[in-house]
Amino acid sequence: MKSGDLFGNSQALCPGMTLLPGFVDTRLMRPLIESILSSSPLRHMETRRGHFMSVKTSNCGSLGWVSDRRGYHYSEIDPLNGNPWPAMPELFQKIAEQAAKASGFSGFRPDSCLINHYVPGTQMGAHQDKDEKDFSAPIVSVSMGIDARFFVQGLERRGASTSVELSDGDVVVFGGPSRLFYHGVRKLKPSCHELFGASRWNLTFRKA
Ligand code: MD3
Ligand code: FE
C-alpha cells in the first residue's frame, strides 16, 4: 500500500512528503488560536543577524520555537511574558496525529506547535528545519486562510524547486527524506478569505 492511502485524496509530492487537501475544517481552529494568542501574542522573531522576520509567530505546547541574537532554539518559556507556552489543544494534537498516520507515520506525538501568521507581501525564505532532536519524527503543517505558494528544493539550497499552492484546510506531512529538504513560502499575493480575511495561518506540529 502506498503511504497516504488511508486518506483517499492524498498526493505524494516527493519522497516522504504527502499533501492531504482539505484535511481540516479550519472553522473549529480559529477560536483555539485566538485563545492561545491572548496569552502568548504574535511577535516578529529577530534572526541571528539582527533582522526581523516578516512572518509573525507564536507557539503552543510544552516547547516553543524561538529565535533571537543567540540563534534558533526551543524554549519551555515564552520570552515575551516569562510564562510557559499555552497548552496544545486536544483538537490540534488529534489532527496532527491523524494526518501523520494517514501519511504512514503512526504514533506521532508533537510537543510543539509553531504558529505562523502571514499577510499579503509576507514570505519565508528557503531554510531547513533542523533545530529538533529527532529527524525520524515528521513535521505536520496545517494551512488556513488565503492561499500561498509553498516550494521545496531538496537537500541543497540551490537547484530546481517543486512548488504547490496551499489552501485553507490543506495539510502537508514531511517525513523520511523530505524532512530535511530546503523549503519556503513565496511572497503572498493580495487576497481575502471569507473566514480569515487578508491573512494566512500556518501551524507546524513538531517533536522538538
Ligand atoms: C519541509 N513554515 O515554520 S509549512 C516553518 O507555511 C515553515 O509557514 C512554512 O517552513 C509556512 O518552518 C511552510 C511547510 C513545512 C514545514 C516544515 C518542513 C515544510 C517542511 C520541514 C521539513 C521539510
Ligand atoms: Fe520550515
Side-chain angles (χ1 to χ4, degrees), residues 7-203:
F7 183 70
N9 217 8
S10 71
Q11 301 166 32
L13 299 174
C14 49
M17 180 170 159
T18 307
L19 171 64
L20 305 168
F23 192 77
V24 175
D25 181 351
T26 60
R27 283 173 298 187
L28 304 169
M29 319 218 16
R30 202 181 130 107
L32 299 172
I33 290 176
E34 275 170 9
S35 160
I36 291 162
L37 299 179
S38 69
S39 357
S40 283
L42 292 171
R43 79 289 309 263
H44 288 288
M45 296 281 189
E46 191 175 6
T47 66
R48 207 197 286 270
R49 291 168 164 182
H51 297 132
F52 285 92
M53 294 172 64
S54 66
V55 175
K56 283 178 138 185
T57 68
S58 186
N59 292 277
C60 66
S62 55
L63 289 165
W65 185 85
V66 296
S67 162
D68 56 30
R69 293 277 178 107
R70 287 167 33 222
Y72 306 136
H73 57 107
Y74 283 92
S75 168
E76 292 174 4
I77 298 296
D78 178 352
L80 213 58
N81 59 21
N83 298 327
W85 300 98
M88 194 185 299
E90 266 179 44
L91 176 68
F92 285 17
Q93 291 185 27
K94 207 174 98 186
I95 288 168
E97 189 184 344
Q98 288 178 353
K101 191 173 173 191
S103 309
F105 297 90
S106 55
F108 179 52
R109 298 256 187 294
D111 53 15
S112 177
C113 171
L114 174 65
I115 301 170
N116 289 328
H117 182 249
Y118 296 76
V119 294
T122 311
Q123 61 188 323
M124 187 179 282
H127 66 278
Q128 290 175 296
D129 288 30
K130 51 180 185 185
D131 302 314
E132 300 75 24
K133 287 193 206 99
D134 177 10
F135 299 142
S136 71
I139 290 183
V140 173
S141 150
V142 177
S143 292
M144 304 186 282
I146 63 176
D147 291 359
R149 183 151 284 271
F150 166 78
F151 65 92
V152 59
Q153 287 178 306
L155 288 171
E156 291 184 34
R157 191 189 296 265
R158 307 207 147 265
S161 65
T162 305
S163 72
V164 63
E165 198 79 3
L166 294 179
S167 303
D168 185 68
D170 290 353
V171 173
V172 190
V173 178
F174 303 89
S178 75
R179 175 64 184 76
L180 288 170
F181 283 3
Y182 277 91
H183 60 277
V185 179
R186 306 274 184 227
K187 192 179 278 200
L188 264 71
K189 298 198 172 84
S191 166
C192 190
H193 183 268
E194 54 175 359
L195 195 63
F196 294 96
S199 61
R200 171 175 187 260
W201 298 88
N202 182 265
L203 307 182

